[in-house]
Amino acid sequence: MSGRWIAAVALMVGLMFLGGCAAMAKGGEKGGKLVSEGVSLFAFNYTGRYIGDIRVNGMWLGGAGAHSNSGSAAGLLAPRDRSKRHSVKVTWVVADVYDISTNKYQRRPDEPHEAMVELAFPYPEHPSELILHFFPDGHVEAELIQGMANVWKARRIQPPEGYKR
């Protein structure tokens, strides 16, 4: 009898947790309080070097190959108050240099970086992705977009001629 009781309590706790997650992901108004929406993280690397250990407000994204993109990670919340500008703390490590002619990386010392990056404004009504853009001059831009299909449309610089993925 006690095993069934424990299973029932565990099921109820799990359902309550999932209900809270669903409300958080939906966003908007709930009980008079503005609820943040969860967004995925994604990055474009427009440089000729590997960028690793990318983090946004401490959330780990991974790395992005030279002239390529990162994978995707989830867990960050969009700003609650979308009527004012917000920034995120981005940390990353610039590493190996990609040689287009050999299609190989050449080892370089890791160079850690950190910046407060303002999110492009205005924000979409229901953001689903926070995209980082790493530019060759070293600066980083961040934007919220709506709809995961728009990620590839957000790429700003195409890979150079001769680049092999």
Side-chain angles (χ1 to χ4, degrees), residues 10-150:
L11 179 63
M12 287 175 44
V13 169
L15 290 174
M16 288 174 18
F17 174 76
L18 289 174
C21 289
M24 185 68 80
K26 184 177 177 188
E29 294 285 334
K30 181 172 177 155
K33 292 186 176 182
L34 189 61
V35 178
S36 290
E37 296 180 62
V39 296
S40 296
L41 301 173
F42 191 82
F44 286 111
N45 177 3
Y46 308 122
T47 77
R49 295 185 69 180
Y50 179 80
I51 298 177
D53 198 22
I54 303 168
R55 296 174 188 266
V56 179
N57 289 349
M59 300 291 301
W60 186 73
L61 174 56
H67 309 293
S68 189
N69 54 273
S70 69
S72 187
L76 199 67
L77 295 177
R80 284 185 183 181
D81 184 353
R82 295 201 189 101
S83 66
K84 65 179 184 176
R85 295 180 180 269
H86 296 274
S87 296
V88 291
K89 180 181 179 182
V90 180
T91 60
W92 69 99
V93 174
V94 176
D96 304 344
V97 173
Y98 175 72
D99 183 347
I100 291 176
S101 64
T102 63
N103 193 29
K104 294 182 180 176
Y105 283 93
Q106 298 172 359
R107 185 76 182 126
R108 293 290 188 269
D110 290 354
E111 301 170 12
H113 295 272
E114 176 180 308
M116 287 303 294
V117 179
E118 188 173 297
L119 295 173
F121 191 79
Y123 311 125
E125 186 176 336
H126 297 288
S128 61
E129 297 272 342
L130 187 150
I131 301 177
L132 298 175
H133 300 272
F134 291 90
F135 289 92
D137 66 1
H139 87 279
V140 178
E141 294 179 7
E143 66 178 321
L144 289 166
I145 65 164
Q146 187 166 311
M148 294 171 72
N150 293 330

